[in-house]
Amino acid sequence: MTTNSRRRGAALDEAILEAAWAELIDNGYAGFTLEGVARRAGTSRPVLSRRWAGSADLAVAAMRHYIAQNPIRAPDLGNVRAELVRFLREVSDRRAITIARVLFGMRDYFIETSSSVADLRKALHEQLGARPVIDDILERGIRRGEIDPRKLTARRIALPLELVSHEALMTLKPVPAAVIAEILDTIFLPLVAADRKAAAAW
């Protein structure tokens, strides 16, 4: 196994974060220890302790690393509905199920940190510092006249992703295309469409 003496800096951090993510997937947070991560990464607990204050911090760092390594793109398709469908399907197929499985094993983390799923999600995205993909999609929709910016609120903007994530969390399966269409066509888009003509075009 590769040892700490042959890996330093970013290469060592990468190995540790990948090992930490694998430990979360295999054992959940209840079985997540610095010793276990160190063994899997081929390093030592003191090396981990110098970088992260404890298991909770390392677990969050591992989740953040996974998200950063698996970005979701939203190319301009010329139509806000088409872009949202593609975005939500990518989230469902590539990320939501894996994250949902990890969250199911995070009960001890939430007790230990006196936090919630919402707190964890906020921490992950704030630390990544990335502009939400859905913001880019909606901004293009506004420029095309498909979306009324006056109808956009923080809760409404979050709604499509929240509903898809909830569906994935409840079923632990990819969200069917029909469910994504229902979320967009009967819930989200009617709330934010610029006018009936724009909604009819979808």
Side-chain angles (χ1 to χ4, degrees), residues 25-77:
I25 293 291
D26 290 347
N27 304 317
Y29 190 76
F32 184 81
T33 64
L34 296 183
E35 290 85 359
V37 174
R39 281 195 301 271
R40 192 183 287 253
T43 186
S44 64
R45 174 173 175 148
V47 170
L48 273 62
S49 298
R50 287 196 293 269
R51 288 165 166 77
W52 294 279
S55 296
D57 287 344
L58 179 54
V60 171
M63 296 180 73
R64 187 170 66 248
H65 178 73
Y66 171 79
I67 293 171
Q69 293 300 307
N70 294 272
I72 304 295
R73 309 295 184 188
D76 187 341
L77 302 177

Side-chain angles (χ1 to χ4, degrees), residues 56-170:
D57 287 344
L58 179 54
V60 171
M63 296 180 73
R64 187 170 66 248
H65 178 73
Y66 171 79
I67 293 171
Q69 293 300 307
N70 294 272
I72 304 295
R73 309 295 184 188
D76 187 341
L77 302 177
N79 177 282
V80 72
R81 184 186 184 279
E83 292 173 13
L84 286 169
V85 167
R86 176 165 177 164
F87 166 61
L88 293 174
R89 290 186 68 176
E90 289 239 358
V91 168
S92 169
D93 294 346
R94 293 177 49 202
R95 185 184 293 172
I97 306 304
T98 304
I99 294 294
R101 291 183 184 277
V102 171
L103 289 176
F104 264 122
M106 294 292 282
R107 175 180 175 275
D108 288 355
Y109 168 88
F110 296 124
I111 293 173
E112 178 184 325
T113 60
S114 300
S115 63
S116 66
V117 174
D119 294 329
L120 176 58
R121 181 178 297 172
K122 182 178 179 181
L124 288 171
H125 289 291
E126 284 181 348
Q127 290 170 14
L128 281 169
R131 175 183 170 90
V133 173
I134 198 167
D135 286 357
D136 293 331
I137 294 173
L138 294 176
E139 187 174 283
R140 290 195 292 265
I142 291 169
R143 290 200 300 267
R144 298 188 202 106
E146 299 169 295
I147 300 295
D148 185 344
R150 297 170 298 179
K151 297 180 180 179
L152 292 175
T153 65
R155 191 171 296 279
R156 286 181 177 180
I157 291 170
L159 189 57
L161 189 55
E162 293 285 351
L163 291 175
V164 166
S165 297
H166 179 267
E167 185 77 17
L169 187 62
M170 292 298 101

